[in-house]
Amino acid sequence: MSHYQKPPELYDGLRLHQNENTGGCSPRVLAALAALRADQVGFYPPYAGATSAIATYLGVPADQITLTNGLDEGIMALAVACLRPSPGSAVPEAIVPEPAFEIFRFDTAVAGGRLVQVMPHADFSFPLTEVLAAITPNTRVVFLTNPNNPTGVSMPLDAIRTLAAGVPDGAMVFVDEAYAEFAGESFIQDLPSYPNVVVGRTFSKAFGLAGLRIGCLVGSPDTLDPIRRAIPVYSVNVAAAAAIQAALGDLDHVHEYLRQVSESRELLYQACDRLGLKYWRSRANFVLVCAGSRTDQLVNGAFARGVYIRNRSTEPGCAGCIRIGTGIVEHTRRCIAVMEEALCAAP
């Protein structure tokens, strides 16, 4: 029997605004957490087992994996390692093709780097020519997300290869693959040929471990070394280290969630067609929907009915757009019913 038959609702409403797995983690994760002993909690955590399990899952040697407290910590560590200004030198630059995960912008500012934004195409296809034109001798990082957040659109892997060959010596291309499980493709197999590329992965989305904060960076040991020095010692806790090993031992649970995500996306596409809403076909566990002048009506109406969806209108190229999580089918059906109610309600 599927563990997703009757998934619980979380908190005080249905959270479809954070791209979380609202069905939760594998029961094996809960069992692993319950089995933690007092001495394990009392000691600093060992990481060999978690690192080995992740390396096997991703198909790389263990020395190419660096565990992080959520992928966010890995992105901050990379920014600190690459974007801190040096006295007497030009300010390091980070290129961010928009729209993008807002953490790229925040971390660039915190590290002291200069943000170089590349504006999106109308169809959200990857602006390779524009990104290449933005590269300067001061470029130190190009931040990419594949599939993109918030659009759900994938970029060609060839574009990553082109950028890796086009950045200055000492610069890095970072590929955020938070949603790679849903897309079914990764740049990881190309890393041996592109040592200046680092891939970031998280187990918050497909694996339902967002509350435990576990992710990793993948890359050449030499490339990862300066980033590792910016990561606090023992930042990944013992519960997260135990949980990821249990989660990776139950891939059937993940595959069932991926199946539901695929069905949910199609259900939402059909609903948008009925409601006259534009959308972009997604390769993640969410869909970007353009409601135009009906955006506030839809977001506020859904909120009033206990369903949270995220207004992304302030993102470049996303005016009038809403990001809606598409995971558990039962939850997607409820969201669609609420959308229909909200849009059909009297203004």
Side-chain angles (χ1 to χ4, degrees), residues 197-280:
V197 178
V198 170
V199 170
R201 297 291 285 259
T202 181
F203 300 96
S204 295
K205 310 302 182 183
F207 287 85
L209 300 180
L212 288 170
R213 314 307 299 132
I214 178 73
C216 69
L217 300 178
V218 190
S220 158
D222 289 341
T223 305
L224 290 178
D225 186 55
I227 304 172
R228 285 172 170 152
R229 293 199 293 268
I231 298 174
V233 177
Y234 297 122
S235 66
V236 175
N237 66 62
V238 68
I244 187 55
Q245 294 175 75
L248 290 170
D250 189 8
L251 293 182
D252 286 347
H253 185 85
V254 176
H255 294 154
E256 169 59 12
Y257 177 58
L258 299 183
R259 184 197 67 76
Q260 293 213 37
V261 167
S262 180
E263 182 178 347
S264 284
R265 286 194 306 244
E266 293 299 326
L267 288 171
L268 187 57
Y269 297 155
Q270 294 166 17
C272 288
D273 288 337
R274 293 195 304 271
L275 294 167
L277 300 172
K278 180 180 178 180
Y279 57 89
W280 288 265

Side-chain angles (χ1 to χ4, degrees), residues 25-46:
C25 63
S26 162
R28 295 192 193 180
V29 171
L30 301 181
L33 296 177
L36 285 173
R37 304 185 310 270
D39 62 303
Q40 291 174 296
V41 175
F43 296 163
Y44 292 114

Side-chain angles (χ1 to χ4, degrees), residues 42-330:
F43 296 163
Y44 292 114
Y47 293 141
T51 300
S52 176
I54 292 171
T56 297
Y57 171 67
L58 296 178
V60 299
D63 65 353
Q64 294 182 17
I65 297 289
T66 293
L67 300 184
T68 58
N69 186 313
L71 182 51
D72 290 354
E73 180 182 65
I75 297 170
M76 174 58 84
L78 183 144
V80 168
C82 298
L83 296 174
R84 286 175 298 174
S86 299
S89 299
V91 176
E93 295 176 351
I95 297 175
V96 177
E98 298 286 0
F101 186 29
E102 57 265 37
I103 292 297
F104 298 155
R105 299 190 289 268
F106 297 159
D107 289 355
T108 296
V110 168
R114 175 175 175 264
L115 176 67
V116 179
Q117 294 171 285
V118 176
M119 293 300 105
H121 294 162
D123 63 355
F124 294 128
S125 59
F126 186 72
L128 177 59
T129 300
E130 293 89 337
V131 175
L132 286 169
I135 294 172
T136 75
N138 300 324
T139 299
R140 290 296 172 266
V141 181
V142 179
F143 284 112
L144 307 174
T145 308
N146 192 37
N148 180 267
N149 175 19
T151 69
V153 176
S154 287
M155 63 182 295
L157 296 185
D158 244 359
I160 303 173
R161 299 180 187 110
T162 299
L163 290 171
V167 295
D169 289 344
M172 186 179 303
V173 176
F174 174 73
V175 186
D176 180 341
E177 290 189 349
Y179 304 96
E181 278 82 9
F182 308 103
E185 68 177 5
S186 171
F187 195 77
I188 288 175
Q189 71 277 357
D190 283 76
L191 289 176
S193 300
Y194 297 92
N196 62 342
V197 178
V198 170
V199 170
R201 297 291 285 259
T202 181
F203 300 96
S204 295
K205 310 302 182 183
F207 287 85
L209 300 180
L212 288 170
R213 314 307 299 132
I214 178 73
C216 69
L217 300 178
V218 190
S220 158
D222 289 341
T223 305
L224 290 178
D225 186 55
I227 304 172
R228 285 172 170 152
R229 293 199 293 268
I231 298 174
V233 177
Y234 297 122
S235 66
V236 175
N237 66 62
V238 68
I244 187 55
Q245 294 175 75
L248 290 170
D250 189 8
L251 293 182
D252 286 347
H253 185 85
V254 176
H255 294 154
E256 169 59 12
Y257 177 58
L258 299 183
R259 184 197 67 76
Q260 293 213 37
V261 167
S262 180
E263 182 178 347
S264 284
R265 286 194 306 244
E266 293 299 326
L267 288 171
L268 187 57
Y269 297 155
Q270 294 166 17
C272 288
D273 288 337
R274 293 195 304 271
L275 294 167
L277 300 172
K278 180 180 178 180
Y279 57 89
W280 288 265
R281 295 190 70 86
S282 172
R283 300 190 71 191
N285 65 335
F286 58 83
V287 174
L288 189 69
V289 174
C290 185
S293 61
R294 297 184 286 174
T295 297
D296 288 341
Q297 181 183 359
L298 183 52
V299 173
N300 296 337
F303 180 82
R305 292 165 174 82
V307 175
Y308 306 149
I309 55 181
R310 188 165 179 184
N311 189 340
R312 299 310 302 259
S313 292
T314 59
E315 296 293 311
C318 296
C321 289
I322 302 162
R323 193 187 65 195
I324 303 173
T326 49
I328 304 304
V329 170
E330 178 181 332

